[in-house]
Amino acid sequence: MKRFPAHILIFSISLWFHNAEIMAQQNKIDKQIDDLLQRMTLEEKVGQMNQYNGFWDATGPAPQGGNAAVKYEHLKKGWVGAMLNVTGTEEVRKLQKLVVEESRLGIPLLFGYDVIHGYKTLAPIPLAEAASWDMEAIENSARIAAIEASSVGLNWTFAPMVDISRDPRWGRVMEGGGEDTYLGGQIAKARVKGFQGEDLSAPNTIAACAKHFAAYGFAEAGKEYNTVDIGTSTLFNTVLPTFKAAVDADVKSVMNGFNILNGIPVTGDAFLQREVLKEKWALQGLVVSDWASIAELVPHGFAEDMKHAAELGAKAGSDMEMESGSYVAHLVSNVKEGKVKESLIDDAVRRILRVKFELGLFDDPYKYCDSAREKEKLYHPDHKEAVLEMAKKSIVLLKNENNILPLAKNQGKIAVIGELADDTNSPLGSWRLGSDNNTAVSFLEGLKAYSQDFKYAPGPKVFNKDANFLQEVEVNATDTSGMEEAVALAKESDVVLMVLGEHGFQSGEARSRTNLNLPGLQLDLLKAVHEVNPNIVLIVMNGRPLTITWEAENVPAILETWQLGTQTGNAIAEVLFGDYNPSGKLPMTFPRSVGQIPIYYNHFNTGRPNLEPNVFWSHYSDEQNTPLFPFGYGLSYTQFEYSDLEIDSSDQSAIKVNVTVKNSGSVAGEEVVQLYIRDKVASVTRPVKELKGFKKILLEAGDSQKIAFTLTDAELGFFDHNYEFVVEPGMFEVMIGTNSQDVLRQSFEKR
Ligand code: BGC
């Protein structure tokens, strides 16, 4: 008889017990849901499907008259299943108590909030975190966000945003994981795990929400809330897999979106929400609409009026309606008139109740309302430490001619130029509703720890600095005051650190741009400084890829620092002075010009990839085809050499790929080894390159390491037009390298 080693046996037995325990717990919850559902009136069921925004001071007297009073009455009747934008243990406790003690069945509320990159202590914006390619760090960052958010009474975050986007004109790229489906899927899993932890019923874990289902990031021309029209291959192979990854990681909710997709508003799309998400992928959690997206079925020209919108939303599978109130007003009559089956309502309510049971809210509705914990956890020193690590990992070194970086600690005279250098607000980025203004360590503050010997000139005013989440940022493009002073300072300095970029609220929701240049007079300032002193390090702060083409051609060193959150200045200073060796890699392509957009590495070959000098090939007459900086790109203070790419395809179910990476420079450094494939011939054309694996490694100077990857059918297959996952035999090319452009190549045959 075959003997299993003892440790495998013990592991299998404990896994069996663990699974049996989970099953028992699920059965118990199912029974509790059945019991509760039986006791609920139709009005109470529909009430669970209603989510209100809380905009009054809940700890004050009960609201009288107006919208707030109506909401208050609905809460007391048990006609509200969840709130959003109510935070603080005191406020949450007050509303929870109202519902638990005064409504007939006392079903506790969910409290949702946009905890996108931290609550008080802010990590870098999600796009920046994606540049770390460090899944452990990203998971930890979400964990910290959950610890702080749960300490203020919240039990549900509307994150992660897993929308793939190839269009940096769209302001919400700052909120996602970039342009790539594989990287995005890994990030989705890490972030869901971080928010939800090992045990959702623990008081410091919260339910996550993958959004916006689906294809919101493909808004035409990058214009917010705009039309999306994409084919099935792009939908199945590019857009949906990040959501599937989140569902596989047991995400407790999914949010739909504002966009139409191929003519149908996604909020009213039963194919997406019922067939794909709930049936095919077996999502156990709930689907929440986006803010008023059910009401928006009317202006979309999809529903006649609010009653019709409620009917269509419920039928399509929007289990909970955020804010627009059409469910609570019309779903009961829709059911009574036979327009919506009560079984659909029951299914929605089950999903909502399940999340509440899993969070443990029925055992203790106030478990997130511990004011001592609230005090202890917000801005906890450990959190500040962790977001500093995350911020350093997110920085990407884009250019470093003649190794101008890192700066020596006794560097001569340093000039710092640019309004953003002295900004404690903008580097916090967008989507930071719970945080406090002006809590970032500014660039200047960070620099002070390394050098006292610098002078600062802000240059011309760039933004109305106090712009907030609800306002458009105003940009100064005419007033040149401050220019002369900055140029004079540059002239007398040895090195110029120019901190330029976007305002924190120039990206995020409803922040689409048609120009992706440095806003205002910043490029003029840079050019003027360059004329008197070209020894410049450009530190870019931004929420999206920018067309920094002149900058890349003329400035010797460029650090991409995004918006790095609370620890911005400290993180940048450590990198500038070489106490941290940058290892970030771009999660999105940087275009040379806006006209190239959408530009992304995993494009198709076309029938005319290059026929030069013949003019009839796929190209522009006035611009190159290549990007300014490709996907996956990022330098280090050391160099890495790739060699010996070998493929062993003898086991066709697990193809082995090896490559040797050597740190050939003089300092230790981290490298993200990237593996791409190309399926050379397929029944549905495949892209010229697709990321299918990566490993982040640390190598001491002079050391080499053999890196091994395994390719299985999961990496080699694709979805055909019937949404069937197929793996087709034939030749595959494997490419491994330091970014998506500079790669070694080898082929193998899949039989
Ligand atoms: C956004 C969502 C967000 C919701 C609640 C909407 O405008 O699209 O992503 O979760 O507001 O704040």
Side-chain angles (χ1 to χ4, degrees), residues 84 114 158 172 211-212 255 258 290-291 322 431 509:
L84 78 149
D114 291 286
F158 304 126
R172 295 195 83 165
K211 68 190 189 185
H212 304 85
M255 185 186 291
F258 296 125
D290 202 345
W291 178 283
M322 187 187 287
W431 277 119
E509 184 172 349

Side-chain angles (χ1 to χ4, degrees), residues 359-379:
L359 283 163
L361 289 173
F362 285 93
D363 298 327
D364 177 4
Y366 309 108
K367 63 194 297 184
Y368 300 94
C369 300
D370 173 349
S371 54
R373 199 163 74 90
E374 178 175 25
K375 254 203 204 112
E376 184 210 333
K377 294 299 177 193
L378 298 180
Y379 291 122

Side-chain angles (χ1 to χ4, degrees), residues 645-647 655-659 675 707-709 711 734 736:
L645 172 55
E646 289 161 358
I647 303 178
I655 287 151
K656 308 272 181 302
V657 181
N658 288 322
V659 72
L675 180 148
I707 311 296
F709 292 94
L711 292 172
V734 174
I736 296 196

Side-chain angles (χ1 to χ4, degrees), residues 23-222:
M23 289 281 285
Q25 180 63 15
Q26 285 301 335
N27 288 340
K28 188 177 151 205
I29 289 178
D30 283 340
K31 284 208 186 86
Q32 287 169 314
I33 294 173
D34 285 344
D35 171 61
L36 192 50
L37 208 55
Q38 252 187 43
R39 291 186 285 131
M40 292 171 81
T41 62
L42 181 57
E43 284 76 6
E44 285 165 340
K45 289 180 190 173
V46 167
Q48 284 302 304
M49 299 168 70
N50 178 32
Q51 178 177 45
Y52 278 146
N53 181 43
F55 54 85
W56 70 91
D57 176 8
T59 47
Q64 308 284 317
N67 199 339
V70 172
K71 290 182 176 180
Y72 190 76
E73 284 312 307
H74 286 183
L75 282 161
K76 285 206 288 192
K77 284 185 179 161
W79 287 5
V80 185
M83 297 296 295
L84 78 149
N85 295 337
V86 176
T87 65
T89 50
E90 212 187 324
E91 302 249 324
V92 170
R93 180 180 283 278
K94 177 103 188 268
L95 284 193
Q96 193 70 296
K97 194 160 182 273
L98 181 76
V99 168
V100 169
E101 293 183 3
E102 297 199 31
S103 71
R104 194 178 71 91
L105 293 169
I107 301 173
L109 295 165
L110 291 173
F111 286 88
Y113 202 70
D114 291 286
V115 186
I116 306 298
H117 54 114
Y119 184 76
K120 288 278 186 208
T121 313
L122 292 179
I125 57 169
L127 185 66
E129 285 195 353
S132 73
W133 296 54
D134 187 328
M135 297 309 121
E136 222 176 282
I138 292 176
E139 181 181 332
N140 190 42
S141 174
R143 185 86 288 284
I144 284 162
I147 291 172
E148 290 202 5
S150 62
S151 82
V152 299
L154 299 170
N155 46 40
W156 185 18
T157 175
F158 304 126
M161 187 188 97
V162 301
D163 294 312
I164 295 299
S165 181
R166 297 162 167 176
D167 196 331
R169 290 172 296 184
W170 189 52
R172 295 195 83 165
V173 296
M174 58 76 51
E175 231 185 299
E179 76 186 38
D180 183 63
T181 301
Y182 182 85
L183 177 62
Q186 303 296 315
I187 294 172
K189 278 195 235 163
R191 302 196 76 213
V192 170
K193 257 172 90 184
F195 288 127
Q196 298 189 168
E198 293 292 324
D199 173 11
L200 195 63
S201 70
N204 64 2
T205 55
I206 56 178
C209 181
K211 68 190 189 185
H212 304 85
F213 197 67
Y216 182 37
F218 278 71
E220 274 180 6

